[in-house]
PDB file of all heavy atoms in Angstrom:
ATOM      1  N   LEU X1137     101.789 -11.831  84.920  1.00  0.00           N
ATOM      2  CA  LEU X1137     101.592 -12.850  85.962  1.00  0.00           C
ATOM      3  C   LEU X1137     101.415 -12.136  87.291  1.00  0.00           C
ATOM      4  O   LEU X1137     102.261 -11.343  87.705  1.00  0.00           O
ATOM      5  CB  LEU X1137     102.785 -13.810  86.007  1.00  0.00           C
ATOM      6  CG  LEU X1137     102.809 -14.792  84.835  1.00  0.00           C
ATOM      7  CD1 LEU X1137     103.587 -14.259  83.667  1.00  0.00           C
ATOM      8  CD2 LEU X1137     103.338 -16.151  85.281  1.00  0.00           C
ATOM      9  N   ARG X1138     100.281 -12.411  87.969  1.00  0.00           N
ATOM     10  CA  ARG X1138      99.985 -11.703  89.203  1.00  0.00           C
ATOM     11  C   ARG X1138      99.063 -12.547  90.055  1.00  0.00           C
ATOM     12  O   ARG X1138      98.395 -13.450  89.552  1.00  0.00           O
ATOM     13  CB  ARG X1138      99.350 -10.355  88.895  1.00  0.00           C
ATOM     14  CG  ARG X1138      98.073 -10.416  88.057  1.00  0.00           C
ATOM     15  CD  ARG X1138      97.903  -9.117  87.257  1.00  0.00           C
ATOM     16  NE  ARG X1138      96.613  -9.018  86.578  1.00  0.00           N
ATOM     17  CZ  ARG X1138      96.323  -9.588  85.391  1.00  0.00           C
ATOM     18  NH1 ARG X1138      97.181 -10.358  84.753  1.00  0.00           N
ATOM     19  NH2 ARG X1138      95.126  -9.399  84.848  1.00  0.00           N
ATOM     20  N   GLU X1139      99.050 -12.236  91.345  1.00  0.00           N
ATOM     21  CA  GLU X1139      98.125 -12.937  92.238  1.00  0.00           C
ATOM     22  C   GLU X1139      96.704 -12.527  91.918  1.00  0.00           C
ATOM     23  O   GLU X1139      96.436 -11.356  91.684  1.00  0.00           O
ATOM     24  CB  GLU X1139      98.430 -12.584  93.693  1.00  0.00           C
ATOM     25  CG  GLU X1139      99.587 -13.367  94.242  1.00  0.00           C
ATOM     26  CD  GLU X1139      99.812 -13.058  95.717  1.00  0.00           C
ATOM     27  OE1 GLU X1139      98.829 -12.741  96.412  1.00  0.00           O
ATOM     28  OE2 GLU X1139     100.968 -13.137  96.131  1.00  0.00           O
ATOM     29  N   SER X1140      95.817 -13.492  91.941  1.00  0.00           N
ATOM     30  CA  SER X1140      94.410 -13.212  91.723  1.00  0.00           C
ATOM     31  C   SER X1140      93.672 -13.406  93.042  1.00  0.00           C
ATOM     32  O   SER X1140      94.199 -13.987  93.992  1.00  0.00           O
ATOM     33  CB  SER X1140      93.877 -14.177  90.664  1.00  0.00           C
ATOM     34  OG  SER X1140      92.486 -14.338  90.772  1.00  0.00           O
ATOM     35  N   THR X1141      92.468 -12.905  93.098  1.00  0.00           N
ATOM     36  CA  THR X1141      91.632 -13.142  94.276  1.00  0.00           C
ATOM     37  C   THR X1141      91.543 -14.641  94.587  1.00  0.00           C
ATOM     38  O   THR X1141      91.459 -15.045  95.741  1.00  0.00           O
ATOM     39  CB  THR X1141      90.209 -12.576  94.023  1.00  0.00           C
ATOM     40  OG1 THR X1141      90.339 -11.218  93.607  1.00  0.00           O
ATOM     41  CG2 THR X1141      89.339 -12.661  95.261  1.00  0.00           C
ATOM     42  N   PHE X1142      91.571 -15.454  93.551  1.00  0.00           N
ATOM     43  CA  PHE X1142      91.395 -16.909  93.750  1.00  0.00           C
ATOM     44  C   PHE X1142      92.567 -17.728  93.235  1.00  0.00           C
ATOM     45  O   PHE X1142      92.376 -18.859  92.802  1.00  0.00           O
ATOM     46  CB  PHE X1142      90.142 -17.417  93.043  1.00  0.00           C
ATOM     47  CG  PHE X1142      88.917 -16.606  93.295  1.00  0.00           C
ATOM     48  CD1 PHE X1142      88.231 -15.998  92.247  1.00  0.00           C
ATOM     49  CD2 PHE X1142      88.419 -16.449  94.587  1.00  0.00           C
ATOM     50  CE1 PHE X1142      87.085 -15.255  92.480  1.00  0.00           C
ATOM     51  CE2 PHE X1142      87.267 -15.704  94.808  1.00  0.00           C
ATOM     52  CZ  PHE X1142      86.600 -15.103  93.757  1.00  0.00           C
ATOM     53  N   GLY X1143      93.747 -17.223  93.166  1.00  0.00           N
ATOM     54  CA  GLY X1143      94.870 -18.026  92.685  1.00  0.00           C
ATOM     55  C   GLY X1143      95.830 -17.187  91.879  1.00  0.00           C
ATOM     56  O   GLY X1143      96.302 -16.156  92.345  1.00  0.00           O
ATOM     57  N   LEU X1144      96.109 -17.646  90.652  1.00  0.00           N
ATOM     58  CA  LEU X1144      97.066 -16.960  89.794  1.00  0.00           C
ATOM     59  C   LEU X1144      96.335 -16.425  88.564  1.00  0.00           C
ATOM     60  O   LEU X1144      95.359 -17.011  88.103  1.00  0.00           O
ATOM     61  CB  LEU X1144      98.131 -17.956  89.342  1.00  0.00           C
ATOM     62  CG  LEU X1144      99.170 -17.429  88.342  1.00  0.00           C
ATOM     63  CD1 LEU X1144     100.198 -16.570  89.055  1.00  0.00           C
ATOM     64  CD2 LEU X1144      99.841 -18.593  87.623  1.00  0.00           C
ATOM     65  N   GLN X1145      96.857 -15.347  88.033  1.00  0.00           N
ATOM     66  CA  GLN X1145      96.260 -14.709  86.872  1.00  0.00           C
ATOM     67  C   GLN X1145      97.360 -14.324  85.898  1.00  0.00           C
ATOM     68  O   GLN X1145      98.440 -13.897  86.321  1.00  0.00           O
ATOM     69  CB  GLN X1145      95.581 -13.429  87.381  1.00  0.00           C
ATOM     70  CG  GLN X1145      94.350 -13.000  86.683  1.00  0.00           C
ATOM     71  CD  GLN X1145      93.665 -11.867  87.446  1.00  0.00           C
ATOM     72  OE1 GLN X1145      93.647 -11.870  88.680  1.00  0.00           O
ATOM     73  NE2 GLN X1145      93.127 -10.914  86.721  1.00  0.00           N
ATOM     74  N   TYR X1146      97.110 -14.474  84.599  1.00  0.00           N
ATOM     75  CA  TYR X1146      98.096 -14.003  83.612  1.00  0.00           C
ATOM     76  C   TYR X1146      97.422 -13.867  82.257  1.00  0.00           C
ATOM     77  O   TYR X1146      96.251 -14.210  82.091  1.00  0.00           O
ATOM     78  CB  TYR X1146      99.311 -14.938  83.543  1.00  0.00           C
ATOM     79  CG  TYR X1146      98.995 -16.361  83.122  1.00  0.00           C
ATOM     80  CD1 TYR X1146      98.990 -16.736  81.776  1.00  0.00           C
ATOM     81  CD2 TYR X1146      98.696 -17.335  84.074  1.00  0.00           C
ATOM     82  CE1 TYR X1146      98.713 -18.028  81.387  1.00  0.00           C
ATOM     83  CE2 TYR X1146      98.411 -18.638  83.702  1.00  0.00           C
ATOM     84  CZ  TYR X1146      98.402 -18.982  82.366  1.00  0.00           C
ATOM     85  OH  TYR X1146      98.103 -20.271  81.987  1.00  0.00           O
ATOM     86  N   ASN X1147      98.186 -13.370  81.286  1.00  0.00           N
ATOM     87  CA  ASN X1147      97.711 -13.225  79.918  1.00  0.00           C
ATOM     88  C   ASN X1147      98.639 -13.983  78.985  1.00  0.00           C
ATOM     89  O   ASN X1147      99.824 -14.135  79.268  1.00  0.00           O
ATOM     90  CB  ASN X1147      97.694 -11.743  79.526  1.00  0.00           C
ATOM     91  CG  ASN X1147      96.921 -10.915  80.523  1.00  0.00           C
ATOM     92  OD1 ASN X1147      95.787 -11.234  80.843  1.00  0.00           O
ATOM     93  ND2 ASN X1147      97.538  -9.888  81.067  1.00  0.00           N
ATOM     94  N   CYS X1148      98.104 -14.489  77.885  1.00  0.00           N
ATOM     95  CA  CYS X1148      98.976 -15.118  76.900  1.00  0.00           C
ATOM     96  C   CYS X1148      98.464 -14.829  75.491  1.00  0.00           C
ATOM     97  O   CYS X1148      97.345 -14.353  75.298  1.00  0.00           O
ATOM     98  CB  CYS X1148      99.126 -16.615  77.157  1.00  0.00           C
ATOM     99  SG  CYS X1148      97.591 -17.521  77.186  1.00  0.00           S
TER     100      CYS X1148
END
Side-chain angles (χ1 to χ4, degrees):
Chain X
L1137 286 91
R1138 57 207 188 278
E1139 280 184 30
S1140 157
T1141 307
F1142 312 120
L1144 176 77
Q1145 213 170 322
Y1146 61 89
N1147 307 308
C1148 57

